[in-house]
Amino acid sequence: MENGSMLVLVQDQEGQSLPGASVLIAGPTHREGMTNVEGKAIFQDLPPGNYKVKAQLEGFKPDTEPTAVEPQQTAELTFRLKLDP
């Protein structure tokens, strides 16, 4: 079976990109990465299946969302993190 990929975008509540956010994915495989200057993290060569994706950045409340990766497809997920007072 062909693997897929995932594009994760991390923003604040106003839609501004959050570079340097930690992104962890758990499912058929586990990976972690960090968002680039555009607030994006890309994970390639992922086995198809269901994943839980967690985004966190100091000063913001972490958030977790489910998503699915399909063969030869790119799953896209956007987080809008809230400030942690």
Side-chain angles (χ1 to χ4, degrees):
M1 190 178 294
E2 296 287 332
N3 287 343
S5 58
M6 186 184 306
L7 170 63
V8 180
L9 178 61
V10 182
Q11 301 175 332
D12 64 14
Q13 287 292 293
E14 282 75 47
Q16 297 295 312
S17 299
L18 292 175
S22 172
V23 179
L24 301 105
I25 62 172
T29 189
H30 292 69
R31 304 254 181 96
E32 70 178 271
M34 193 166 286
T35 57
N36 63 16
V37 294
E38 297 174 333
K40 295 178 183 176
I42 299 170
F43 300 91
Q44 298 181 338
D45 200 28
L46 296 175
N50 294 317
Y51 289 83
K52 285 191 176 179
V53 183
K54 181 178 184 179
Q56 56 191 16
L57 182 64
E58 191 172 332
F60 292 85
K61 293 181 180 177
D63 193 12
T64 303
E65 294 288 338
T67 193
V69 171
E70 303 290 338
Q72 298 182 339
Q73 301 289 320
T74 300
E76 295 187 13
L77 194 59
T78 299
F79 285 92
R80 293 229 170 172
L81 299 184
K82 295 178 180 167
L83 284 171
D84 192 5

